[in-house]
Amino acid sequence: MSQSIQEVQNEIIEEFSMLDGDMEMTIGYVMELGETLEPLEEEQKTDDNIVKGCQSKVWLDAKPNGDKIHFKADSNTAITKGLVSILVRILSDRTPQEIVDADLFFIDKVGLNRFIGTQRSNGLGAMIKQMKIYGLAYTAKAN
Amino acid sequence: MSDTSVVSNTLDIEAIRSQFPILHQKVNGKQLVYLDNAATNQKPQSVINALEHHYAADNANIHRGIHTLAERSTTAFEDTRKAVQAFINSNEVEEIIFTKGTTESINLVASSWGRKYLNEGDEIIVSGLEHHSNIVPWQLIAEEKGARVRAIPVLDNGDLDIAEFSNMLSNKTKLVAVNHASNSLGTINPVHEIIKMSHEAGAKVLIDGAQASSHLTIDVQALDADFYALSAHKMYGPTGVGILYGKRSLLEKMPPYQGGGEMIKDVSFDKTTFNDIPYKFEAGTPNIADVVAFKAAIDFINDLGKENIAAYEEELLSYATAQLNEIEGVRIIGQAQNKVSVISFVVDGIHHFDLGMWMDAKGVAVRTGHHCTQPLMDRFSIEGTTRASFSVYNTIAEIDIFVEALKDIIKKLKP
Ligand SMILES: Cc1ncc(COP(=O)(O)O)c(C=O)c1O
């Protein structure tokens, strides 16, 4: 049985707590996480898949996988890619309902609101919204 | 050369720094190094005091009251106008209109002058170096009037192509709107020459002085500028205040920009007559406190002396330029002969967003992105740059911190 959304977030909070709130280490770690992201094929990096941000681009692709949604994503900046990988780790391969209901409490807890709060510049807030919209769309389809 | 005392200058930089409370803080656990001065620079204690004093002692609405506070407020407000007049050497104090900034000043001219004088087929020439605020207002009015906006090309070194500008000028050209200095590249434009050429073609000229105001000596009469715009917040002053200078002969013929109190002489439902300049263009209660505090910023600059500031900033710029040129993979965008203290660069294989975020983690505040000059970024086939820009309170030691930070980040992020 895989971990719940709640459990994955607790695990992430735990990982970040080891960085002691050091901003450089946090950024370094976020970038490392980006390296682990399942690659998104170049042909999936279409304008349709772009989540609008100002300084960095995020591509998000969603595919049904049984009764769940599988997300793949990428970004043109290393920090955003790392943040994207965290969101994918939490929300990919969940049911649409789980995605719609997800309360992303880890953001405040690990001090990432600094990055995610500046939605305009990195498109991450928009990415969360887009993931939820996919969740809603699939829920609607299922009904 | 890591000591500010090495700089051959008459200014006591440490004494100047002590006047800026904001500089003395840590961000992300590191001493703040503020190098985002082209976006807005910091405020000396005298400006903060003036703002506080206004609200604590003098606040009242201006021009209309007869009581003592109204008198004090009005006097302080009009004293700033006089200080601006002297600062840019306009012929008359009435030629100075208070706005909320450069953006509003440009929009005022586009709406008022543009609406009256532009016709179908006319041309407005801007430049490839312009901030969006000196492009979009012209596009809006041009669309309304069937006029056309054209842009002077930018050369590889960041200078404007003046030869091409000369070819573009014709009897269709009604207005030329260019910046005195570029916020993205730092290029100082030959505005005197541009104005002369434009006038010979029969066009009026608006100069966007947002980036010039704290670095360059401005003399609107010597330039023969028709309009000149600037923002207080880029010259150690408060946000929300700027000015539009316009020649009296032009301002008097222009229709009001907004309607309301202050800008009228008499109002009736049959006929309303308008106030004289500058009040005709200052509808409503203005940003009194910030206008009042703006004078303290002008005094700050005058006390140090523009030439001294410019000479010192030039040393900072050339030191930083030399340092960046030594780092492999760093490419400075904009290498014009004459620059204000702005240095824009890209680093091979590293996105400016990652660079800027990591700089911030090291306490260094720089700007990243397109700097509201997307056409210029397109011209250089880049998405954006990282930009460091200096004010008089910055030091060689801070540039060293910035350069070391940059080297360290490149080492960490280089693919
Ligand atoms: C060259 C230039 N023009 C215009 C502006 C707009 O100034 P403001 O935002 O103060 O209206 C700026 C500010 O960034 C600028 O650098």
Side-chain angles (χ1 to χ4, degrees), chain B residues 38-39 101-104 106 131 133 179 181 183 208 210-211 231 233-234:
Chain B
T102 304
T103 302
E104 190 181 33
I106 296 170
H131 189 280
S133 65
N179 61 41
N183 63 307
D208 167 357
Q211 291 298 332
S231 298
H233 72 93
K234 291 187 197 283

